[in-house]
Amino acid sequence: LSVLGREYDQVCGVAKALELIGERWTILLVRDAFLGLRRFEEFQAKNGIARNVLTDRLNGLVDAGIFERVLYHERPPRHEYRLTDKGRELGVALNALREWGERHLLDEPPVELRTRTGKKRVVARLVVEGTRTLQPSDVELVRR
Amino acid sequence: LSVLGREYDQVCGVAKALELIGERWTILLVRDAFLGLRRFEEFQAKNGIARNVLTDRLNGLVDAGIFERVLYHERPPRHEYRLTDKGRELGVALNALREWGERHLLDEPPVELRTRTGKKRVVARLVVEGTRTLQPSDVELVRR
């Protein structure tokens, strides 16, 4: 197998990830979940996305194991969507993308990523394995 | 400004980045550039992408300042595409996405990211600012 051959896409992590979350709305819904959104009406109000498209994307994210559907009210039954561990692990890629977009495409970053406990600034970077790193659950995104 | 309001997308780094590179082929061409591809024919042979679509995506990447078009042969004039610094900075997001895809969607990762000099394994992670980190130019992706 050559990484430069056409067959590489079948085993390329980037290509595989894009098959699942390569659609713009899908990624933005994952972002919204990191921002704290959980309910259909919240996702809908924030994005102004058509309800049938939103339903489709949320179901896709549940099928992909990135969101889980949780009953939060019994009568009438109401569900909300929460990031699974697998979904939360997308936090590294999303924050790296956010940083790049802020650095190159915006005058001023509107938000800041920091540790929940120490309020230290957090960045997404390449590091040697074994370096002290943070879990997506250790950090919070706040307005600057 | 609320990060939960609809207007947030206008200043969200993720949304802004996706406007530029949110298209599947665009991201895969940036990946290919990290794998060492430079020439139109190489991108074409690897991806089997229609020539007009490829031309369009490459031009878009040049316009976005992610690739630069460089003359490598004078007569006849031949150009190749190289990652700019701005493009190379996408390495963090791409490697984070690759890792996620490999961890969750593949049995075995086909490649490994390591430092060029020490051959140490490299990962994409969230870290406290000030942590010792690597530049995309410090690392290489090799077959496992």
Side-chain angles (χ1 to χ4, degrees):
Chain A
L1 172 81
S2 161
V3 294
L4 297 180
R6 231 186 250 202
E7 70 288 1
Y8 178 60
D9 267 11
Q10 288 154 38
V11 294
C12 168
V14 176
K16 285 284 169 193
L18 290 177
E19 282 173 20
L20 269 197
I21 56 155
E23 197 275 328
R24 179 180 159 83
W25 276 120
T26 306
I27 300 184
L28 292 179
L29 292 174
V30 175
R31 173 207 61 180
D32 288 341
F34 275 105
L35 293 175
L37 267 56
R38 292 187 164 189
R39 300 183 182 175
F40 187 95
E41 304 303 332
E42 293 174 326
F43 289 112
Q44 217 274 320
K46 172 147 192 288
N47 293 302
I49 181 176
R51 296 179 70 90
N52 60 330
V53 176
L54 179 56
T55 299
D56 184 66
R57 296 302 181 274
L58 288 172
N59 287 342
L61 283 162
V62 171
D63 292 345
I66 293 169
F67 281 1
E68 59 182 339
R69 192 184 279 110
V70 180
L71 191 74
Y72 72 89
H73 191 275
E74 296 244 346
R75 290 182 200 174
R78 292 277 178 271
H79 295 86
E80 60 182 23
Y81 297 87
R82 295 186 198 160
L83 284 166
T84 61
D85 288 343
K86 178 177 172 182
R88 227 178 307 272
E89 284 179 38
L90 281 168
V92 184
L94 270 178
N95 278 298
L97 207 55
R98 178 185 54 74
E99 273 187 57
W100 185 87
E102 289 174 354
R103 191 178 314 126
H104 293 290
L105 309 173
L106 290 167
D107 292 332
E108 235 179 323
V111 290
E112 183 179 298
L113 192 69
R114 61 185 194 184
T115 57
R116 278 185 200 283
T117 49
K119 311 301 179 200
K120 287 182 190 149
R121 291 188 60 161
V122 173
V123 291
R125 291 288 184 279
L126 299 177
V127 296
V128 170
E129 198 172 54
T131 299
R132 187 176 189 137
T133 63
L134 300 160
Q135 297 301 315
S137 53
D138 299 329
V139 303
E140 60 186 6
L141 196 66
V142 294
R143 285 176 54 191
R144 281 169 68 97
Chain B
L1 173 83
S2 161
V3 294
L4 298 179
R6 234 187 247 200
E7 70 288 1
Y8 178 61
D9 268 9
Q10 288 155 38
V11 294
C12 168
V14 176
K16 285 285 167 190
L18 291 177
E19 283 172 19
L20 271 196
I21 56 155
E23 197 276 328
R24 181 181 159 82
W25 276 121
T26 305
I27 300 183
L28 292 179
L29 292 175
V30 174
R31 174 206 62 180
D32 288 339
F34 275 104
L35 293 175
L37 267 56
R38 292 187 164 189
R39 299 183 184 176
F40 187 95
E41 304 303 333
E42 292 174 327
F43 289 112
Q44 218 275 321
K46 174 150 193 285
N47 293 300
I49 180 176
R51 297 180 70 90
N52 60 331
V53 176
L54 179 56
T55 299
D56 183 66
R57 295 303 182 275
L58 289 172
N59 287 342
L61 283 162
V62 171
D63 291 344
I66 293 169
F67 282 0
E68 58 182 340
R69 193 182 280 109
V70 179
L71 191 74
Y72 72 88
H73 192 275
E74 298 243 346
R75 289 180 201 175
R78 292 276 178 269
H79 295 86
E80 60 182 24
Y81 298 87
R82 296 187 196 160
L83 284 165
T84 61
D85 288 343
K86 178 177 173 181
R88 224 177 308 271
E89 285 180 36
L90 281 168
V92 184
L94 271 178
N95 277 299
L97 206 55
R98 177 185 55 73
E99 273 187 57
W100 185 87
E102 289 174 353
R103 192 177 314 127
H104 294 290
L105 309 173
L106 291 168
D107 293 331
E108 235 180 322
V111 289
E112 183 179 298
L113 192 68
R114 62 184 193 185
T115 56
R116 279 186 200 282
T117 50
K119 311 299 179 201
K120 288 180 188 153
R121 290 188 61 160
V122 173
V123 291
R125 290 288 184 279
L126 298 177
V127 296
V128 170
E129 199 174 52
T131 299
R132 188 177 188 136
T133 62
L134 299 161
Q135 297 302 313
S137 53
D138 298 330
V139 303
E140 60 186 6
L141 197 65
V142 293
R143 288 176 53 190
R144 282 168 69 96

